[in-house]
Amino acid sequence: MQNATHDAAQDTATTVTDERADLLEALAKHRHFLRFTTRDLTDEQAGRRTTAGELCLGGLIKHVASVERSWADFIQHGPSAMPDFTAMTEADFAKRADEFRMLPGDTLDAVLADYEEVARRTDELVTTLPDLNAAHPLPKAPWNEPGAQWSARRVLLHIIAETAQHAGHADILRESLDGAKSMG
């Protein structure tokens, strides 16, 4: 059994090119800083708004997990994996806003476990995807150029950028909560 596990790990390692390793390393770094902002917090603290905005740490991680999940699905299935944002109703946008909140029954442990599963799935996709150049038309959205396409590589760069941006937001939220910082 141990040899089979070792062989599988070795096979996966040989399929990870330098580019894919770089993408995974960058994503892992930013995921770490995002998760690190929640160290030693209670569920109540993770759900507390600490700035003038609506964001809280637990909700921010829920949002990043949801976005990463959606974009990974996009890589595999194209624009049908995402909503037509131009046709969304107020109710749809209200439901989407729940991604940014800790709702009754949400726990920080569950939010982090979901994010960990999303990360595992994305990492597996990066290592097994046959072609990073495979592209799909972007879903309909007011912020997307009509007819634009993104390759899997471009989507992964977007996930990295989104994670890094929100890790910065999370650092501000955490510092506003109790003075703790991720860096510095």
Side-chain angles (χ1 to χ4, degrees):
M1 179 72 161
Q2 190 173 7
N3 287 339
T5 303
H6 175 72
D7 292 342
Q10 203 170 31
D11 290 345
T12 300
T14 59
T15 63
V16 178
T17 63
D18 289 344
E19 177 184 20
R20 291 175 195 240
D22 288 345
L23 292 168
L24 290 169
E25 183 181 338
L27 192 48
K29 175 184 175 182
H30 297 301
R31 285 178 183 145
H32 164 75
F33 282 116
L34 178 60
R35 286 189 305 259
F36 188 64
T37 62
T38 66
R39 70 196 177 282
D40 303 322
L41 293 182
T42 65
D43 294 338
E44 187 274 327
Q45 288 171 313
R48 190 180 306 156
R49 291 175 40 207
T50 61
T51 64
E54 292 290 322
L55 295 176
C56 67
L57 287 166
L60 194 56
I61 291 173
K62 282 175 59 175
H63 168 69
V64 172
S66 176
V67 167
E68 184 172 323
R69 181 184 294 112
S70 293
W71 280 113
D73 288 345
F74 173 84
I75 289 171
Q76 293 182 298
H77 307 291
S80 65
M82 299 178 105
D84 175 350
F85 290 97
T86 63
M88 288 179 65
T89 65
E90 276 189 48
D92 294 329
F93 280 109
K95 183 177 179 186
R96 189 164 188 255
D98 285 345
E99 289 178 4
F100 292 91
R101 298 182 186 101
M102 291 285 283
L103 300 175
D106 283 347
T107 65
L108 182 57
D109 285 344
V111 167
L112 290 169
D114 179 58
Y115 186 39
E116 189 67 31
E117 176 57 25
V118 168
R120 185 203 60 74
R121 183 174 164 246
T122 302
D123 290 353
E124 183 179 310
L125 180 63
V126 171
T127 61
T128 61
L129 193 66
D131 185 5
L132 292 176
N133 292 317
H136 296 292
L138 289 175
K140 290 183 182 178
W143 49 85
N144 289 337
E145 179 184 336
Q149 292 192 6
W150 277 6
S151 67
R153 177 183 296 101
R154 176 65 186 90
V155 171
L156 293 167
L157 291 170
H158 178 73
I159 292 170
I160 292 166
E162 175 109 356
T163 305
Q165 179 180 9
H166 288 314
H169 292 145
D171 199 36
I172 292 166
L173 295 173
R174 179 62 191 257
E175 188 173 2
S176 296
L177 177 67
D178 64 4
K181 299 178 188 178
S182 296
M183 298 175 70

